[in-house]
Amino acid sequence: MPKFDYAPAPESRSIVSIKPTYGLFIDGTFTRPKGLFPTINPADETTLAEVSQAGPKDVDKAVDAARRAHDGVWGRMSGAERGKYLFRIARILQERAREFAVLETLDNGKPIKETRDVDIPTAAAHFFYHAGWADKLEYAGLAPAGGEMPRAHGVVGQVIPWNFPLLMLAWKIAPALATGNTVVLKPAETTPLTALLFAEVCQQADLPPGVVNILTGDGRTGQAIVEHPGVDKIAFTGSTEVGKAIARSIAGTRKKATLELGGKAANILFDDAPIDQAVEGIINGIFFNQGQVCCAGSRLLVQESIHDEVVARLQRRLGTLRVGDPMDKNTDLGAINSRAQLERISALVDAGIAEGATAWAPECTFPGTGFWFAPTVLTGVSQSHRVATEEIFGPVLSVLTFRTPQEAVAKANNTSYGLSAGVWTEKGSRILWMADQLRAGVVWANTFNRFDPTSPFGGYKESGYGREGGRHGLEAYVTNTVTGAAR
């Protein structure tokens, strides 16, 4: 299939005004910048801005501000009034959507069409959805029969990753505020800018000071938030390694936690599936956001009889993908988020080749600077290969085969993770059987990577515990007033 030539269609960055330096957002205002470190554009390695490194004293101030806001204003406010603030934030996100999309692409490296069409609209949708819940918590089934209204934990510490900076912020902050909690949030050190812009949205929405506090910094800042005695609950999305460290840190304390960690999803393709449709779903499942997605369909389990045909169609389709400038509206795959992540992807692919897999990638012309990796398909992969067991978190698809549904389930479940899976078949009964057998928190049928604020998301095993989104996601942010135990 020939690759069409497209004239450049760059998105203007003029709508975004990036400050040279940023302070921390504590108690409704920005502090004076200090301990600065750079955040760079992964597409060209230029410095976008310098942000502050929060220390233990900054964490103390933020937690104290959040406690005062909870005890004095936010925790006492009616759900209907809280909902008004969330609606206001959602509307402002929509009004400033282009600004957020451009800034997210500059700081993260993902294509502008993804931030424009997926990340920012979905972030706003989470605030709209949870605004609707704010005055209806007594009807959410969060308390036992005859029990009183569920109450907020108090101060919630939240640590989010770099792959979906604003969207993960929305996943965390919206339910916390809707249920009456206040927040101290740390964005990833490589992608802090949209979180800092969100702080301006909080000011624009006249959110009471201290309800949302945003501290930039590295892992030391996150650790200080997790271990702070004034934090009642932790919400974390990120690597399994860090998630385990958090679980060990809070063990034996009164703190509650939700952990959304890594994944190694199986995308299972049966021989009766519509192959062209499935190929598009496979492409979206692994190459969306350069594969830097915790629920990415990084393992393709294809029925043996159609293996060669599917691989040939995948290769043909990959040859049409456009890799390059994330600010170009024609781009399908942008830059890898950081040099460290690029090195990890490269090392794991090299390990797969050394273990006997065959790598294929289309010819790609990369810009002279930045962090780039071509969309890659690995065939000849066995269950024991590192590329079949470890989370690569990049645009790399490992292809395995199966003969029977039972074998597909066994191979799909043969992982330490359990976040997501996909099933492609025309048989509804097979979809239901597979979904029942797969040990995954989310199972997509004849699609992949589809999200909605009304639907809970989370995993099993080393993919973490707890759910985010939907009614189920509210449970993690309230306690039972009868027993005082977390629901």
Side-chain angles (χ1 to χ4, degrees):
M1 180 182 295
K3 181 185 291 187
F4 291 102
D5 290 327
Y6 287 80
E11 176 71 46
S12 171
R13 58 181 291 176
S14 62
I15 194 172
V16 173
S17 177
I18 302 177
K19 299 180 178 68
T21 59
Y22 287 88
L24 310 171
F25 185 68
I26 299 175
D27 206 15
T29 61
F30 283 94
T31 66
R32 178 176 297 179
K34 65 175 185 177
L36 298 172
F37 65 93
T39 180
I40 69 169
N41 182 342
D44 60 17
E45 302 180 60
T46 59
T47 296
L48 294 168
E50 290 187 311
V51 298
S52 297
Q53 170 69 45
K57 291 183 179 179
D58 300 308
V59 175
D60 288 341
K61 292 177 182 178
V63 173
D64 289 345
R67 180 64 63 189
R68 290 194 303 271
H70 174 267
D71 294 347
V73 180
W74 198 251
R76 299 171 179 268
M77 190 179 293
S78 69
E81 289 300 310
R82 289 198 305 269
K84 291 178 182 178
Y85 283 101
L86 268 71
F87 274 122
R88 193 177 301 165
I89 290 171
R91 289 195 297 269
I92 294 171
L93 287 177
Q94 286 186 324
E95 292 165 359
R96 303 179 68 173
R98 184 167 170 237
E99 182 181 1
F100 271 99
V102 170
L103 186 60
E104 195 82 295
T105 290
L106 290 172
D107 204 22
N108 175 275
K110 64 175 65 182
I112 185 67
K113 67 181 182 181
E114 291 183 7
T115 59
R116 178 196 65 197
D117 298 343
V118 179
D119 292 39
I120 311 308
T122 309
H126 273 272
F127 278 98
F128 275 122
Y129 174 73
H130 287 96
W133 269 120
D135 64 346
K136 303 175 184 66
L137 297 178
E138 60 184 306
Y139 307 108
L142 304 179
E148 300 178 30
M149 275 278 290
R151 60 181 176 85
H153 286 285
V155 177
V156 178
Q158 302 178 327
V159 181
I160 60 174
W162 47 259
N163 57 335
F164 291 94
L166 186 71
L167 182 54
M168 291 297 100
L169 177 150
W171 276 32
K172 298 289 190 291
I173 290 182
L177 299 192
T179 49
N181 298 277
T182 53
V183 167
V184 177
L185 178 137
K186 188 196 91 69
E189 56 265 39
T190 62
T191 55
L193 295 185
T194 48
L196 293 169
L197 184 59
F198 180 81
E200 295 182 15
V201 170
C202 293
Q203 293 177 322
Q204 185 179 348
D206 292 325
L207 194 69
V211 173
V212 170
N213 305 272
I214 296 175
L215 304 181
T216 53
D218 57 19
R220 293 170 295 175
T221 305
Q223 182 178 1
I225 293 172
V226 168
E227 295 177 352
H228 198 285
V231 171
D232 302 302
K233 175 202 157 44
I234 300 298
F236 172 76
T237 295
S239 71
T240 295
E241 180 183 3
V242 175
K244 288 180 178 179
I246 290 173
R248 288 191 294 266
S249 174
I250 67 174
T253 72
R254 61 180 174 78
K255 294 179 184 178
K256 308 302 177 183
T258 48
L259 304 176
E260 195 265 284
L261 310 176
K264 193 67 180 175
N267 211 352
I268 305 167
L269 178 58
F270 286 92
D271 60 6
D272 64 338
I275 294 180
D276 285 336
Q277 176 185 340
V279 165
E280 293 304 310
I282 293 163
I283 294 290
N284 181 62
I286 183 57
F287 299 118
F288 176 72
N289 195 21
Q290 295 74 250
Q292 298 169 141
V293 184
C294 54
C295 57
S298 57
R299 290 184 297 153
L300 175 61
L301 272 59
V302 58
Q303 200 152 19
E304 194 174 87
S305 60
I306 58 171
H307 170 272
D308 293 348
E309 179 184 3
V310 170
V311 169
R313 294 198 193 189
L314 273 173
Q315 292 176 344
R316 183 176 64 180
R317 181 65 177 88
L318 259 62
T320 69
L321 296 181
R322 298 174 294 277
V323 183
D325 180 10
M327 288 291 287
D328 191 318
K329 292 184 281 289
N330 294 320
T331 295
D332 296 305
L333 272 76
I336 302 301
N337 181 253
S338 67
R339 185 179 300 280
Q341 184 59 26
L342 176 61
E343 291 172 352
R344 171 173 171 77
I345 295 168
S346 300
L348 282 170
V349 170
D350 290 343
I353 295 171
E355 290 174 331
T358 300
W360 183 92
E363 291 186 9
C364 296
T365 301
F366 299 137
T369 57
F371 313 129
W372 310 95
F373 198 90
T376 300
V377 176
L378 295 173
T379 54
V381 177
S382 71
Q383 290 283 90
S384 61
H385 286 176
R386 288 180 63 190
V387 293
T389 59
E390 297 184 28
E391 186 178 34
I392 299 176
F393 222 62
V396 181
L397 178 66
S398 299
V399 182
L400 300 90
T401 61
F402 68 91
R403 293 183 178 181
T404 66
Q406 291 77 12
E407 183 184 0
V409 168
K411 287 186 173 181
N413 288 341
N414 184 26
T415 175
S416 60
Y417 298 106
L419 189 56
S420 62
V423 180
W424 297 83
T425 176
E426 69 172 10
K427 294 182 175 63
S429 58
R430 180 181 285 164
I431 290 171
L432 295 174
W433 183 84
M434 291 289 292
D436 185 59
Q437 300 296 313
L438 292 169
R439 189 65 174 162
V442 176
V443 179
W444 286 290
N446 293 326
T447 189
F448 210 92
N449 272 350
R450 299 298 179 186
F451 298 95
D452 190 278
T454 66
S455 180
F457 181 85
Y460 301 100
K461 300 186 284 187
E462 291 191 8
S463 289
Y465 50 78
R467 294 295 182 266
E468 294 184 295
R471 185 193 65 81
H472 301 79
L474 297 170
E475 295 186 30
Y477 286 97
V478 297
T479 63
N480 183 322
T481 56
V482 177
T483 66
R487 290 282 295 168

